[in-house]
Amino acid sequence: MALNPRVASWQGRRVWIVGASSGIGAATAALLLDRGARVAVAARSAGALQERFGGRALVVPADVTDAEGLRAAAQRIAAEWGGIDLTLDFAGTYREMRPWTMDLAEVRAIVELNLVGAFNLLDAVRPYLKSGTGFGVVASVAGYGGLPNSLAYGASKAGLINLAQSLWLDYRARGVAVYLINPGFVETPLTAKNRFPMPFLIPADAAAKAIVKGVERGAFEIHFPRRFSRLLKLLNLLPDFLYFRCVRKFTGL
Ligand SMILES: NC(=O)c1ccc[n+]([C@@H]2O[C@H](COP(=O)([O-])OP(=O)(O)OC[C@H]3O[C@@H](n4cnc5c(N)ncnc54)[C@H](OP(=O)(O)O)[C@@H]3O)[C@@H](O)[C@H]2O)c1
């Protein structure tokens, strides 16, 4: 059942992609440009955005941890376009972390970027979230349930899942679409540093295709690759003792 309106065409749609300088965000921005959307791209690295999208997209460098800067970016885009139809937050980071390697400053930085950053973005685009527009966050299948070595990242992504669900419920009556994007492992600069095996790893282009297709068919949760995300969904239905046993066996941790 479609929980959001379907999108039949991207032609002329005004889409703001935050976290577009690399990885899944960059691949999604490129795909939407190919489909005829008007795209604004944001991230901290102005040079990378310019190199990749200069001349094709509206380049608006911004840091999601800077609420005021994001508001100014949103105003600039809305002034240029007369509104924003869809805003997607890809800005995020991951670091392996277990309790005995925990660094509180790192925890704060991860939560500030992954979770508070989404609130900052929401605050910036709130004035433009009218009926027919949409807002989406990129969480992770790692937010479904606790995992070892994922102390701060997992908690930040679980928070994003909750945020998207709350937003959908609140915005439903106002006609604003809300998207929750939960990727499994995707080949990007973020995962290039991982030393552990990543099951069902997919290229960033495939992730972008899944995201765009999910929005087109009006999905609320867009999760992929399905074989992996469905397996994790099933695991999370198990009683704790079985869930913990399976996760320990699969991860070896
Ligand atoms: N790759 C995976 O397997 C995977 C799996 C599940 C979920 N995810 C999630 O998907 C999202 C995209 O990840 P990715 O794999 O594509 O990683 P990536 O290639 O490292 O992309 C992260 C993007 O976020 C931007 N960013 C980082 N800090 C920012 C800040 N303070 N303000 C604005 N932009 C910022 C980066 O640009 P700048 O550094 O230029 O700012 C970059 O454009 C993340 O939220 C990640 O947690 C990824």
Side-chain angles (χ1 to χ4, degrees):
M1 195 179 108
L3 295 179
N4 286 311
R6 292 174 204 277
V7 174
S9 164
W10 289 100
Q11 207 60 42
R13 279 208 163 230
R14 301 161 297 184
V15 185
W16 185 15
I17 306 275
V18 179
S21 63
S22 65
I24 313 171
T28 305
L31 183 57
L32 289 176
L33 282 167
D34 290 347
R35 298 277 174 92
R38 280 195 274 175
V39 178
V41 286
R44 292 164 306 174
S45 331
L49 291 174
Q50 199 58 46
E51 199 175 303
R52 202 151 180 170
F53 296 107
R56 291 184 77 202
L58 185 57
V59 173
V60 187
D63 184 333
V64 291
T65 64
D66 169 13
E68 215 168 291
L70 270 187
R71 270 197 296 272
Q75 279 162 13
R76 192 187 139 197
I77 298 165
E80 186 89 22
W81 287 345
I84 305 171
D85 297 314
L86 175 63
T87 304
L88 296 176
D89 181 18
F90 291 82
T93 194
Y94 167 76
R95 243 159 266 139
E96 294 182 35
M97 193 184 291
R98 309 194 81 177
W100 47 90
T101 62
M102 187 177 96
D103 171 340
L104 206 47
E106 270 195 348
V107 173
R108 284 184 202 281
I110 290 170
V111 174
E112 198 66 37
L113 166 54
N114 292 5
L115 182 57
V116 182
F119 280 97
N120 290 339
L121 186 59
L122 175 64
D123 185 58
V125 294
R126 255 184 324 155
Y128 315 105
L129 290 177
K130 311 235 155 66
S131 181
T133 67
F135 180 81
V137 295
V138 179
S140 167
V141 296
Y144 289 162
L147 293 169
N149 210 9
S150 188
L151 214 57
Y153 183 77
S156 71
K157 295 300 185 178
L160 280 175
I161 291 174
N162 190 294
L163 166 64
Q165 290 172 333
S166 300
L167 275 179
W168 189 91
L169 289 164
D170 279 334
Y171 268 135
R172 180 63 180 166
R174 296 185 176 210
V176 175
V178 176
Y179 305 95
L180 166 62
I181 299 164
N182 284 325
F185 290 112
V186 183
E187 245 175 298
T188 68
L190 191 76
T191 48
K193 63 190 177 206
N194 288 350
R195 290 160 296 155
F196 52 84
M198 293 181 276
F200 304 105
L201 182 70
I202 59 168
D205 289 352
K209 278 187 192 142
I211 291 167
V212 170
K213 197 172 158 196
V215 174
E216 285 170 353
R217 65 182 162 81
F220 163 66
E221 188 193 357
I222 302 167
H223 58 97
F224 54 85
R226 288 292 177 111
R227 275 184 301 167
F228 188 47
S229 51
R230 283 196 178 128
L231 176 69
L232 283 167
K233 277 178 182 293
L234 271 178
L235 281 181
N236 277 281
L237 294 175
L238 297 174
D240 287 339
F241 81 99
L242 266 180
Y243 173 77
F244 290 150
R245 192 181 293 172
C246 292
V247 171
R248 291 188 70 196
K249 190 167 165 22
F250 291 153
T251 60
L253 295 169

